[in-house]
Amino acid sequence: MKFVTRAQWRARPSRYALTHIRGTRGVKIHYEGTAVPASLARPENHPKCAARMRALQASHLANTAENYSDIAYNALVCPHGYVYEGRGAHKKTGANGTATLNSAHYAVCAMLGNSGLTKPTDAQLAGLRDAVEWLRDSGGAGHEIRGHRDGYPTACPGGPLYAWVKQGALRPGGSNPEPPRKYEPFPGVGWFKSAPRSPIVTAMGRRLVAEGCSAYTEGPGPQWTDADRASFRKWQRKLGDAPEYGDGWPGPQQWAALKVPSA
């Protein structure tokens, strides 16, 4: 998953505390519903996607009718397949239409519109699947994948994207929406204390970011650093481990709970 944190796209703080939820029945897929330039999908225009995130958040914060506390979606996916953290996991969305609907499903929005860029790219569809699986792994989302229009009177997420949802929300070129997941076995605390340089460290860091346990100012990357240890300490505290087990050095049960994907 190509994941972009709130810090990385320079999100503004929420206006007030977001409502914590333990999980949902699943995820609803959205689109922007206004004009999105077709040129946004060009590879050279990916740098504009972070600016679009900031503009979307600003427009939501300025919406006095809805009184949004933040950008309405839990995650957004650009045409290049990057997953941008919106409200994030375990936060009630503001996008599904009513308080009941917002509690029942997370909201993931594709950067698509009702004119201009209206058809999702293959990279975007893969990113939408990444976002759904992230919310399942990190946010307790159930198995349902639906469109915004399912249960609420709206054209969202548009014809092309809704057709993909109705066809099973498959990854491009795939027939199985739930490929087997493989997780990295615990390499031992001594391995981490040797200051390794490995893709495993990068994968661990990305999972920590997804769990809201980031102490990174940049990265994560393959080299084990003090930032990795500080981030893992946050994970230990999130698990509620006793202080003597919260020293930032991974243990086998803490590692298993983090579900670091195998390369």
Side-chain angles (χ1 to χ4, degrees):
M1 178 171 68
K2 297 179 287 189
F3 191 78
V4 185
T5 67
R6 288 175 62 91
Q8 288 170 329
W9 63 264
R10 305 204 306 274
R12 292 162 57 181
S14 301
R15 288 202 294 127
Y16 44 85
L18 299 173
T19 301
H20 181 273
I21 55 175
R22 294 187 63 182
T24 65
R25 287 160 44 190
V27 176
K28 282 189 174 175
I29 304 298
H30 296 245
Y31 75 158
E32 292 186 32
T34 56
V36 175
S39 60
L40 185 67
R42 295 175 186 165
E44 66 271 19
N45 285 338
H46 175 58
K48 296 182 179 180
C49 295
R52 189 168 192 88
M53 286 292 298
R54 293 191 292 273
L56 285 167
Q57 185 190 35
S59 69
H60 288 188
L61 290 174
N63 188 328
T64 56
E66 296 291 348
N67 193 31
Y68 290 124
S69 57
D70 204 324
I71 195 166
Y73 310 104
N74 298 96
L76 295 93
V77 180
C78 77
H80 314 94
Y82 286 74
V83 178
Y84 288 79
E85 182 183 21
R87 295 192 176 200
H90 292 298
K91 298 296 188 295
K92 187 171 79 170
T93 181
N96 288 331
T98 68
T100 299
L101 294 173
N102 289 337
S103 296
H105 292 84
Y106 287 117
V108 174
C109 180
M111 289 185 189
L112 294 174
N114 55 12
S115 63
L117 184 61
T118 60
K119 184 178 179 180
T121 65
D122 282 353
Q124 195 165 39
L125 295 178
L128 288 167
R129 283 296 318 188
D130 286 340
V132 168
E133 289 158 18
W134 167 61
L135 287 166
R136 288 175 175 175
D137 287 344
S138 301
H143 71 279
E144 293 182 352
I145 304 176
R146 297 186 175 181
H148 184 195
R149 67 176 70 177
D150 292 321
Y152 192 79
T154 175
C156 184
L161 194 54
Y162 189 62
W164 173 74
V165 171
K166 297 299 287 184
Q167 291 163 5
L170 304 179
R171 285 188 179 273
S175 59
N176 181 6
E178 294 294 337
R181 306 298 297 276
K182 294 184 179 180
Y183 299 107
E184 194 66 44
F186 180 55
V189 66
W191 186 79
F192 293 100
K193 290 185 176 181
S194 71
R197 183 177 180 84
S198 168
I200 296 173
V201 178
T202 305
M204 178 206 72
R206 288 173 177 166
R207 284 291 299 127
L208 291 169
V209 169
E211 286 288 348
C213 296
S214 174
Y216 300 102
T217 55
E218 60 181 32
Q223 179 62 55
W224 175 269
T225 67
D226 289 343
D228 292 293
R229 186 178 176 188
S231 298
F232 205 91
R233 185 182 296 114
K234 288 189 174 186
W235 172 240
Q236 291 168 326
R237 291 173 179 170
K238 183 174 180 178
L239 292 175
D241 286 340
E244 60 266 31
Y245 300 108
D247 59 2
W249 295 115
Q253 292 181 338
Q254 301 156 349
W255 183 262
L258 188 58
K259 295 182 178 179
V260 177
S262 296

